[in-house]
Amino acid sequence: MEQYILSFDAGTTSSRAIVFNKKGEICSVAQKEFTQIFPQSGWVEHNPHEIWSSQAAVAAEAITKININGKNIAAIGITNQRETTIVWDRNTGEPIYNAIVWQDRRTSDYCDKLKNEGLLPYIKERTGLIIDAYFSATKIKWILDNVEGARAKAEKCELAFGTVDSWIIWQLTRGEVHATDVSNASRTMLFNISTLEWDEDLLKLFDIPRNMLPKVCDSSEIYGHTKTTIFASKVPIAGIAGDQQAALFGQMCVEPGMVKNTYGTGCFILMNTGEQPVFSKNNLITTIGWRLDRKTTYALEGSIFVGGAIVQWLRDGLKIINSSSEIEQLAMQVPDSGDVYFIPALTGLGAPYWDQYARGTIVGISRGTTSAHIARAALEGIAYQTMDVINAMILDAGVGLKELRVDGGAANNNLLMQFQSNVLGQSVIRPQTTETTALGAAYLAGLAVGYWADVNEIKQQWHIETQFTPDKAVDMQLAKRKWADAVYRSRSWAK
Ligand code: G3P
């Protein structure tokens, strides 16, 4: 009986399930968008039940499409939007509040307070992170402080916290397993990335009882078996990684110095730094890539909050396109942005600026500006943000960039990829499989159950589809200076 790996990709705006075969090829895909809840300005929530029901539905659809069942699935891998925080009742399995999404800014003021108390070096040394509302710790604290009865319940060991991976495993195993992996734990601001343990001092600082936290596992091991009715048989759940780390693995950036950028809702640029954490001097964060075969691989990360999401905003907010795919055509109607610069800081600026109060800014509009110029400037804004992160990464790593491997939805936009190569002055490489997030999780799961023998076998499956090289005729110097000026104008706006 032919065997496959099923990957659960629990993203920010949709749930996806992808079935891969032994060659790492996609055999079946199913996807379902779910509701984004915006209760107040700067707040973003998801309904945890909808996260699970959509994920369960796409898993069933993906396997039914190719007429297979649980017996054909050698293992399940899970990859997920990171940092998003869910707290549920251990006895009933009922969430006590909506999932607070990574983009949510409600704890910004509290984070400022921590920064003013001079806690930045203390937290960075342990977690590799910068103090920001982005990470889970302040979101958990907010739930405990604001949901009636939550703290009392937590003290009685009645609550469980998890990032989305933990929530899905809990559902798949019907409450038998409460676990996460090191890559997700490293995004909570509660995990010591050197000792690989929950940090007691940070738990005290944020007033979070340890009993709420999941067990932290490797990224490739058997965590438990499915108990849901989706699969007639028990399937091992054997791989977990946060989506950006999974993409780094799926892109086979397995040697130190290799870099990938995923153009999803946000843009996330990760550089493999090997078995030792590198602590950034240029406002990047240090994160755990994965733990495999008892070895931990670290990465430097530049997180950009709004990447492809700006295209959604042009579609749903400004309504200058009807579907995301129309953006490339619209932007191509003009030869350049007509001196318009678009800073997509709709939810603040992440790396390397970390300005929670920056907001989206368009500068340089003239009488001749058209929707095509705005569309082009929006795409260019994605590429310039990436350039800012890569410049910081080069300073931290002390070595230049050889190439940038790209994936995610907007990586299919040729105009954007060529512009990216021009601003970086480096090759941008798009692989044949751009579903690298799901693929990375599938690889981690497959390795745990012996579906693939080792990383060397997997490396043979990575192939280039297109290589974009810098257009030497284009001089980017003035444009880069103007971009820096435009970023300055977007700063601190919402303070
Ligand atoms: O850190 C947030 C990130 O994991 C979200 O990824 O692909 O859902 O935008 P994505």
Side-chain angles (χ1 to χ4, degrees):
M1 183 188 298
E2 193 160 355
Q3 293 288 292
Y4 302 86
I5 302 287
L6 172 64
S7 204
F8 282 36
D9 183 356
T12 308
T13 54
S14 71
S15 295
R16 293 148 63 74
I18 304 188
V19 179
F20 292 97
N21 65 14
K22 193 119 201 292
K23 293 186 202 148
E25 294 165 341
I26 295 171
C27 302
S28 174
V29 187
Q31 173 167 4
K32 198 169 166 29
E33 289 205 1
F34 55 78
T35 319
Q36 306 292 310
I37 305 164
F38 306 111
Q40 291 186 28
S41 164
W43 292 29
V44 188
E45 297 179 359
H46 294 155
N47 178 340
H49 286 306
E50 208 186 336
I51 292 179
W52 168 241
S53 60
S54 56
Q55 195 60 74
V58 290
E61 189 185 332
I63 59 175
T64 316
K65 263 186 186 170
I66 51 167
N67 221 356
I68 60 168
N69 62 43
K71 291 206 175 73
N72 301 92
I73 300 169
I76 291 174
I78 299 173
T79 183
N80 55 290
Q81 52 161 322
R82 307 162 305 164
E83 301 95 16
T84 296
T85 298
I86 307 177
V87 176
W88 66 92
D89 186 310
R90 282 186 189 279
N91 301 318
T92 61
E94 209 37 54
I96 63 162
Y97 191 76
N98 269 342
I100 303 186
V101 178
W102 57 278
Q103 297 158 319
D104 192 289
R105 306 268 98 205
R106 79 186 64 187
T107 55
S108 294
D109 289 347
Y110 175 61
C111 289
D112 278 350
K113 186 173 151 275
L114 296 175
K115 282 187 216 160
N116 293 337
E117 286 170 13
L119 286 168
L120 202 83
Y122 176 82
I123 290 183
K124 187 171 171 188
E125 185 192 307
R126 290 154 191 251
T127 64
L129 305 176
I130 276 163
I131 298 175
D132 194 89
Y134 175 29
F135 306 107
S136 315
T138 62
K139 300 182 197 291
I140 307 173
K141 180 174 165 52
W142 188 93
I143 292 177
L144 292 178
D145 290 344
N146 289 279
V147 175
E148 209 188 318
R151 194 162 282 288
K153 272 187 153 186
E155 250 116 54
K156 285 192 274 170
C157 303
E158 288 174 10
L159 296 184
F161 150 76
T163 37
V164 171
D165 55 313
S166 301
W167 173 243
I168 288 173
I169 294 184
W170 178 276
Q171 300 299 331
L172 281 171
T173 62
R174 297 204 174 206
E176 219 165 65
V177 179
H178 182 211
T180 189
D181 88 305
V182 285
S183 73
N184 276 295
S186 75
R187 315 297 298 185
T188 58
M189 210 153 81
L190 298 171
F191 191 66
N192 188 313
I193 58 167
S194 302
T195 63
L196 304 186
E197 280 168 5
W198 295 118
D199 190 294
E200 294 295 344
D201 295 332
L202 292 178
L203 290 173
K204 223 174 274 162
L205 175 73
F206 292 108
D207 206 5
I208 296 172
R210 195 184 200 291
N211 69 63
M212 293 178 70
L213 305 178
K215 179 180 171 213
V216 185
C217 303
D218 284 7
S219 313
S220 178
E221 65 173 73
I222 297 176
Y223 314 99
H225 291 79
T226 55
K227 276 184 115 184
T228 61
T229 46
I230 311 169
F231 312 102
S233 53
K234 289 188 166 192
V235 182
I237 306 154
I240 314 176
D243 54 9
Q244 303 310 321
Q245 291 94 329
L248 189 69
F249 195 71
Q251 283 274 23
M252 282 289 107
C253 291
V254 290
E255 306 298 337
M258 296 179 82
V259 186
K260 72 89 199 177
N261 187 12
T262 302
Y263 300 79
T265 309
C267 279
F268 298 90
I269 301 134
L270 271 74
M271 174 191 269
N272 181 326
T273 61
E275 287 178 40
Q276 294 303 324
V278 172
F279 289 91
S280 174
K281 294 192 177 69
N282 296 285
N283 286 332
L284 302 178
I285 56 182
T286 308
T287 201
I288 297 180
W290 51 81
R291 189 166 159 81
L292 175 66
D293 296 334
R294 316 308 296 166
K295 276 193 205 133
T296 307
T297 296
Y298 291 87
L300 268 175
E301 173 173 326
S303 332
I304 295 169
F305 296 149
V306 175
I310 201 63
V311 180
Q312 270 177 356
W313 180 76
L314 293 179
R315 182 193 66 190
D316 306 335
L318 208 55
K319 298 191 169 38
I320 59 171
I321 46 175
N322 292 315
S323 72
S324 299
S325 57
E326 286 175 21
I327 182 132
E328 189 171 1
Q329 231 179 347
L330 179 61
M332 269 175 14
Q333 287 175 9
V334 286
D336 54 44
S337 69
D339 212 24
V340 173
Y341 288 78
F342 191 153
I343 316 298
L346 308 196
T347 55
L349 281 172
Y353 303 102
W354 297 103
D355 183 342
Q356 325 196 60
Y357 305 103
R359 286 297 177 267
T361 304
I362 303 176
V363 288
I365 299 174
S366 67
R367 289 288 296 263
T369 302
T370 64
S371 56
H373 292 110
I374 304 280
R376 194 157 181 130
L379 289 179
E380 292 182 358
I382 300 174
Y384 282 123
Q385 290 189 102
T386 300
M387 170 193 78
D388 288 340
V389 167
I390 287 187
N391 286 342
M393 219 165 234
I394 291 171
L395 288 175
D396 274 338
V399 287
L401 177 77
K402 282 202 210 96
E403 61 179 37
L404 177 68
R405 295 188 174 188
V406 298
D407 54 73
N412 293 315
N413 187 315
N414 291 332
L415 181 75
L416 171 60
M417 292 302 106
Q418 183 56 54
F419 190 77
Q420 186 70 81
S421 177
N422 293 351
V423 285
L424 291 175
Q426 288 296 343
S427 286
V428 166
I429 294 180
R430 186 165 64 203
Q432 276 172 9
T433 305
T434 47
E435 293 290 356
T436 48
T437 301
L439 183 60
Y443 282 154
L444 290 165
L447 285 168
V449 297
Y451 186 77
W452 288 290
D454 52 29
V455 172
N456 283 333
E457 181 186 345
I458 293 174
K459 267 188 194 166
Q460 315 307 320
Q461 301 186 351
W462 187 91
H463 300 289
I464 296 180
E465 184 241 296
T466 310
Q467 176 158 2
F468 298 87
T469 49
D471 181 347
K472 294 266 169 10
V474 186
D475 182 3
M476 299 296 306
Q477 292 318 311
L478 177 62
K480 286 183 193 174
R481 279 206 298 280
K482 286 201 159 182
W483 164 258
D485 185 358
V487 170
Y488 177 76
R489 290 162 199 255
S490 76
R491 305 285 306 262
S492 304
W493 185 259
K495 198 150 186 127

